[in-house]
């Protein structure tokens, strides 16, 4: 803890796929949050921590804000509905992201985002983001994390999210949303490498074939890409094995 600590809690708010996790990763300088072109990659609130000199900026990366109707219709977790609202209760500043590359969203704010901003109208909000702006807005107050901390996610959560990111990227339509992930091995190997094995459980035999791919090429590619990403995040060698099994 420095002599005169300053802290700012920032909620990143926006419609699904607005780019909240991408922005968080850019500000943190590492890809600790999962990113994909499909909606609802972020399943629940996760923290990112930027520490610079005496100032700590805490980024609350929230799921894309949705309506209760959509949550029920698509059988999505309640965390997708509740987490953005919960995050707002502790926010010092709200950063509202709008996807300007999407012609349907560039000219208006999502109705649920507007509703959230209206309920928490006492919290300042901005549409344009700049890292130096966040640092200058921090107020005197004790830090919440060690200066070396980058995220609230555990290593296991980062790994699971990275795998989910690849599943969303490579699998068609509804297939990735039916995959259940179970980590069965997480240990240090003989040469100091991190050894991970995760079972991917799917509800249909056809999904098993899709995920494995022709001659096992798809699941091998996913494992290789996840391994490279995790080496960049954890700064150590990573050996990852993925097994696809039918959910019983």
């Amino acid at each position: 803890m420095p002599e005169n600590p300053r802290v700012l809690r920032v909620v990143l708010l926006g419609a699904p796929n607005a780019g909240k996790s991408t922005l968080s990763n850019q500000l943190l300088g590492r890809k600790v949050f999962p990113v994909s072109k499909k909606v609802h990659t972020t399943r629940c609130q996760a923290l990112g921590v930027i520490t610079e000199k005496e100032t700590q900026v805490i980024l609350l990366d929230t799921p894309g804000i949705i309506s209760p109707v959509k949550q029920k219709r698509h059988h999505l977790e309640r965390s997708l509905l509740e987490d953005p609202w919960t995050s707002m209760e502790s926010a010092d500043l709200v950063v509202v992201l709008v996807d300007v590359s999407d012609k349907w969203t560039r000219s208006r704010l999502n109705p649920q985002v507007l509703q959230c901003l209206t309920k928490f109208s006492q919290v300042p909000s901005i549409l344009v983001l700049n890292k130096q702006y966040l640092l200058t807005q921090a107020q005197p107050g004790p830090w919440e994390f060690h200066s070396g901390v980058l995220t609230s996610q555990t290593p296991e959560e980062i790994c699971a999210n990275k795998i989910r990111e690849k599943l969303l990227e490579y699998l068609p339509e509804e297939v990735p949303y039916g995959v259940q992930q179970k980590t069965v091995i997480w240990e240090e190997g003989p040469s100091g490498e991190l050894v991970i094995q995760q079972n991917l459980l799917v509800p249909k035999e056809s999904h098993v074939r899709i995920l494995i791919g022709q001659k096992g090429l798809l699941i091998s590619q996913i494992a290789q890409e996840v391994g490279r990403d995790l080496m960049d995040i954890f700064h150590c060698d990573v050996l990852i094995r993925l097994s696809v099994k039918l959910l019983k």
Side-chain angles (χ1 to χ4, degrees):
M1 185 79 69
E3 205 171 304
N4 300 300
R6 298 168 67 84
V7 67
L8 181 74
R9 292 177 66 86
V10 180
V11 168
L12 301 177
L13 197 66
N17 237 28
K20 299 178 291 297
S21 295
T22 300
L23 177 59
S24 296
N25 287 337
Q26 288 176 337
L27 290 173
L28 291 168
R30 282 196 231 168
K31 290 184 177 180
V32 295
F33 295 114
V35 175
S36 88
K37 293 176 183 176
K38 290 191 173 75
V39 297
H40 306 309
T41 309
T42 300
R43 312 303 281 187
C44 58
Q45 175 196 303
L47 295 177
V49 183
I50 300 169
T51 301
E52 190 166 310
K53 295 182 180 177
E54 296 188 328
T55 302
Q56 192 162 80
V57 176
I58 301 165
L59 301 175
L60 288 86
D61 184 31
T62 61
I65 193 164
I66 57 171
S67 67
V69 173
K70 282 190 176 180
Q71 184 255 335
K72 287 182 180 177
R73 182 189 302 155
H74 300 292
H75 308 290
L76 299 167
E77 300 100 313
R78 279 203 68 83
S79 62
L80 293 173
L81 190 63
E82 296 169 351
D83 277 7
W85 291 81
T86 304
S87 299
M88 291 290 288
E89 293 173 359
S90 62
D92 300 314
L93 181 71
V94 186
V95 173
V96 183
L97 269 78
V98 177
D99 183 2
V100 292
S101 66
D102 186 334
K103 65 179 180 180
W104 301 108
T105 62
R106 69 170 61 148
S107 60
R108 65 182 72 89
L109 285 180
N110 175 286
Q112 279 71 48
V113 170
L114 278 173
Q115 187 181 0
C116 199
L117 290 172
T118 301
K119 181 175 179 181
F120 296 93
S121 58
Q122 77 281 7
V123 184
S125 57
I126 57 172
L127 274 172
V128 179
L129 183 72
N130 179 275
K131 180 179 175 183
Q132 274 62 51
Y133 175 80
L134 296 182
L135 292 172
T136 60
Q137 290 303 297
Q139 299 299 314
W143 280 4
E144 296 184 28
F145 300 93
H146 186 274
S147 60
V149 172
L150 276 177
T151 178
S152 63
Q153 299 172 96
T154 64
E156 291 85 353
E157 287 171 333
I158 291 175
C159 175
N161 282 331
K162 275 291 162 190
I163 293 169
R164 173 173 284 278
E165 173 186 304
K166 301 302 179 185
L167 296 178
L168 287 165
E169 183 177 345
Y170 287 112
L171 297 181
E173 299 172 353
E174 83 286 353
V175 176
Y177 299 101
V179 178
Q180 294 184 25
Q181 300 168 246
K182 185 178 181 181
T183 301
V184 291
I185 294 175
W186 185 285
E187 62 189 22
E188 184 177 332
S191 303
E193 74 275 20
L194 175 59
V195 179
I196 304 166
Q197 180 173 333
Q198 189 169 104
N199 292 343
L200 304 177
L201 310 174
V202 294
K204 298 178 182 179
E205 190 69 49
S206 59
H207 290 184
V208 174
R209 292 193 296 272
I210 291 171
L211 182 47
I212 291 176
Q214 191 173 14
K215 297 182 180 179
L217 290 178
L218 180 57
I219 196 66
S220 296
Q221 181 179 350
I222 289 173
Q224 287 174 4
E225 292 187 10
V226 169
R228 285 197 296 267
D229 288 348
L230 293 180
M231 280 192 275
D232 181 53
I233 294 169
F234 297 149
H235 294 302
C236 71
D237 290 332
V238 177
L239 176 62
I240 185 163
R241 303 186 191 97
L242 299 177
S243 298
V244 184
K245 300 179 182 293
L246 190 62
L247 189 61
K248 297 178 181 178

